[in-house]
Amino acid sequence: MSDPLARLRSHLRAHFAGLGIDADPDVASVTFLGVERIDVLRFGPDPRPGFDGVFHHVSVGCSRHPMTDAAAAVSDPLRGPRAEIVLSLRSGEPVSGLARSIAVVAATPAVDGVVLAADALVDLSVPLWTDAPFTAVLLGDSDIPDLPLDPPADPVTFLSVVPITPTEGAWVRLKGAEAMRQTWGDDGVDVLDARRRAARPA
């Protein structure tokens, strides 16, 4: 198989160029003991109406290997779901600690044997960046198209991640991901805003 991470970078550059983001992304590299390096690419700012000041942070490295549930008896080195995560945030300047938190989420399949999927909740139990009220993320679908890989490997999918507070995390566990998204919509919460208020589910 050709280098999937090189193809991934080209795929991401082409996608964001199509949105009007032509500049090369900033890159932060994060390493953890016993885990291969995770890069976090920062694309932006997004010039589209309604996205003023939004930067898109994308992991590169999670999809290096297929995700396998820790309970699985056998893992296939080629077949199985592959994913990268995308966190879009209206923050202006780079946010201290955010790249590491994104890398932590992206490394959970390798570290904990977790298969990342839409509607999953990943709780880091610490602020996602310095002084942030958010300690977890809610995964969902993103608008980045899948990246096909050479057969028999599955394509790489891209999952959006939305920072959430402990109260919102409890609501997701109780009522589900769609109920949380509905509450954000009803409350007019802008989940792209790094300084947004927390929703108050009833």
Side-chain angles (χ1 to χ4, degrees):
M1 182 188 298
S2 59
D3 183 355
L5 296 190
R7 292 169 61 179
L8 173 61
R9 292 172 185 272
S10 297
H11 180 75
L12 290 170
R13 286 190 174 93
H15 170 76
F16 286 108
L19 301 183
I21 304 173
D22 295 318
D24 287 339
D26 296 328
V27 181
S29 297
V30 183
T31 57
F32 305 102
L33 184 63
V35 178
E36 292 170 282
R37 187 186 75 194
I38 301 287
D39 289 340
V40 178
L41 278 54
R42 182 176 181 261
F43 293 89
D46 195 318
R48 294 175 294 169
F51 286 85
D52 297 345
V54 171
F55 286 78
H56 306 280
H57 307 77
V58 189
S59 67
V60 173
C62 180
S63 64
R64 187 181 279 111
H65 306 290
M67 295 181 287
T68 303
D69 192 293
V74 179
S75 61
D76 189 316
L78 290 179
R79 297 176 179 85
R82 297 174 189 253
E84 298 290 351
I85 63 170
V86 186
L87 193 157
S88 299
L89 203 64
R90 183 178 289 106
S91 58
E93 296 300 317
V95 178
S96 177
L98 178 59
R100 187 181 189 283
S101 293
I102 292 172
V104 168
V105 177
T108 54
V111 174
D112 298 324
V114 172
V115 176
L116 300 178
D119 296 343
L121 176 69
V122 180
D123 191 347
L124 277 65
S125 300
V126 295
L128 298 187
W129 60 85
T130 302
D131 298 327
F134 312 108
T135 58
V137 295
L138 178 62
L139 277 61
D141 297 320
S142 83
D143 61 358
I144 301 177
D146 292 356
L147 170 63
L149 298 179
D150 298 335
D154 290 6
V156 178
T157 61
F158 298 88
L159 298 168
S160 67
V161 294
V162 175
I164 62 176
T165 66
T167 299
E168 291 172 333
W171 178 255
V172 171
R173 294 184 186 93
L174 181 65
K175 296 291 187 177
E178 278 308 311
M180 186 72 261
R181 295 186 184 107
Q182 183 63 49
T183 298
W184 284 329
D186 292 345
D187 289 354
V189 173
D190 178 8
V191 296
L192 299 177
D193 188 351
R195 299 177 179 84
R196 73 171 176 88
R197 61 183 175 84
R200 299 183 180 276

